[in-house]
Amino acid sequence: MPSALITGITGQDGSYLAELLLEKGYQVFGVVRRTSQQGYQRIEHLLDQLELLPADLLDQHSLTGVVHDTKPDEVYNLGAQSYVPTSWTQPVLTGEFTALGVTRILEAVRLAHPEARFYQASSSEMFGKVTETPQRESTPFHPRSPYGVAKVYGHWITVNYRESYGMYAVSGILFNHESPRRGIEFVTRKVTDGAARIKLGLAGELRLGNLDAQRDWGWAGDYVDAMWRMLQQPEPEDYVIGTGLTHSVRDLVEIAFTRVGLDWQSYVKQDPKFIRPAEVDVLLADPSKAKARLDWEPRVGFEEMIIRMVDADLERLAIHK
């Protein structure tokens, strides 16, 4: 039975990846932080199939201990401070988790079980102020937030450990990917939750920032499949993962409000406080390498994804109304 260790298992991607690996017959270990509130909602249905172990990306000793005790075949580092706006208000903490945290888990693997294959969750936010469109593996990075800067560090330290120690370590440069398990603070989920709340009479308006920002949005369940495929290749390489299509926040809003039968322009208000200090205007992936080498293609389209999210939020809110 193959085994895998996942940091960030309680998050959106961690929960979908755990499901995928369990379906494939893996023994799955999850790293969880000891906190006063345990947020296990996304993996609640999997708890009897997982082994959760306490460790922290801020604590080298705990990570080394977990890798030593589990000796996993694969390690997926999905844990991070991953919300871009928070990275401006907490830039040092973001650096500790999202940048140095990668070094700590890589060092844990190097010291305790260097045979493990390692996956680092890199991000399209590393491209930031883009120098070419679409963005591919060779596109230079120009991050436009403390989060993006931290992710660039995490990306390059992964490359460095691969080249310095001969470790099987890869980075997946994933573009935005969403689902009903996305955090409520992210714009896609904020919109689908907001549309559902207005439809059910629980809210009267939705305040958003830049409606013209464009992103390459895909379905989280498709993207964790790409992560797994990267670790099955004979040689470790980095890959851009995205749909190759771009949509604006306005497109997202129109689909969500149409789904609930409302005119979005009557309810959506632009609020300057949601405008980023340094905006990333357009992110668009060129996933051709992943399609050719990994035989990977996104299966869920943008409109279907937003409809699934709206429907899930309607169901959740109607129960608690």
Side-chain angles (χ1 to χ4, degrees):
M1 178 186 290
S3 62
L5 177 70
I6 304 172
T7 73
I9 195 168
T10 60
Q12 170 188 254
D13 291 8
S15 66
Y16 281 112
L17 179 62
E19 285 178 347
L20 177 78
L21 295 176
L22 288 168
E23 286 170 11
K24 292 181 179 297
Y26 277 65
Q27 181 179 15
V28 178
F29 303 101
V31 171
V32 291
R33 300 176 70 207
R34 284 276 187 230
T35 60
S36 57
Q37 277 189 310
Q38 300 293 5
Y40 293 167
Q41 300 92 332
R42 295 183 182 95
I43 57 170
E44 204 166 355
H45 61 299
L46 304 174
L47 287 176
D48 60 342
Q49 304 172 68
L50 305 170
E51 186 172 345
L52 301 180
L53 302 163
D56 198 308
L57 287 173
L58 302 185
D59 179 44
Q60 180 69 63
H61 181 73
S62 67
L63 293 172
T64 305
V66 163
V67 174
H68 176 269
D69 292 345
T70 58
K71 292 198 165 37
D73 298 301
E74 299 169 3
V75 176
Y76 296 86
N77 183 41
L78 311 185
Q81 191 299 101
S82 59
Y83 185 46
V84 175
T86 297
S87 75
W88 274 289
T89 57
Q90 299 185 51
V92 175
L93 184 70
T94 299
E96 287 287 352
F97 276 114
T98 309
L100 289 177
V102 187
T103 312
R104 294 187 189 102
I105 186 71
L106 277 166
E107 190 67 357
V109 172
R110 184 183 75 84
L111 293 171
H113 189 51
E115 299 83 11
R117 295 190 168 199
F118 178 86
Y119 173 86
Q120 164 60 13
S122 287
S123 167
S124 59
E125 288 284 334
M126 301 189 305
F127 295 122
K129 189 176 182 180
V130 299
T131 55
E132 63 178 357
T133 298
Q135 293 88 52
R136 51 185 65 87
E137 290 79 8
S138 59
T139 301
F141 301 137
H142 188 145
R144 297 269 280 172
S145 66
Y147 169 79
V149 172
K151 279 292 185 183
V152 169
Y153 176 96
H155 178 87
W156 282 117
I157 199 67
T158 302
V159 172
N160 188 262
Y161 270 64
R162 178 170 74 217
E163 294 177 349
S164 300
Y165 302 115
M167 291 169 60
Y168 192 111
V170 305
S171 281
I173 307 173
L174 271 55
F175 281 63
N176 295 61
H177 45 287
E178 319 297 322
S179 75
R181 300 181 194 173
R182 188 59 140 154
I184 207 82
E185 68 274 18
F186 290 86
V187 67
T188 46
R189 187 71 195 293
K190 182 178 178 181
V191 169
T192 62
D193 175 78
R197 285 181 184 277
I198 291 168
K199 177 64 175 179
L200 295 171
L202 299 172
E205 66 176 17
L206 175 62
R207 292 187 169 271
L208 297 171
N210 181 11
L211 297 180
D212 297 316
Q214 296 184 51
R215 294 290 183 273
D216 182 330
W217 274 300
W219 176 253
D222 291 342
Y223 286 41
V224 299
D225 176 56
M227 297 177 190
W228 176 78
R229 288 171 187 250
M230 284 180 217
L231 293 192
Q232 313 314 309
Q233 303 309 303
E235 297 297 328
E237 294 186 51
D238 305 325
Y239 293 87
V240 161
I241 302 297
T243 69
L245 300 170
T246 187
H247 299 275
S248 67
V249 175
R250 186 176 278 101
D251 296 335
L252 156 66
V253 168
E254 286 181 357
I255 292 169
F257 277 80
T258 298
R259 181 62 174 174
V260 297
L262 297 173
D263 177 6
W264 70 271
Q265 296 183 68
S266 301
Y267 301 98
V268 174
K269 306 286 188 287
Q270 279 197 279
D271 190 331
K273 80 175 183 181
F274 296 118
I275 303 290
R276 294 182 178 188
E279 184 57 86
V280 175
D281 295 313
V282 182
L283 291 175
L284 176 62
D286 175 3
S288 53
K289 179 182 175 183
K291 290 181 179 181
R293 305 266 187 94
L294 305 178
D295 192 27
W296 177 85
E297 296 246 14
R299 293 168 295 179
V300 179
F302 179 72
E303 186 168 353
E304 181 186 347
M305 176 181 74
I306 300 306
I307 287 172
R308 286 187 188 184
M309 292 172 68
V310 171
D311 289 352
D313 279 323
L314 281 170
E315 184 179 350
R316 174 181 57 87
L317 292 165
I319 290 170
H320 297 101
K321 187 179 176 185

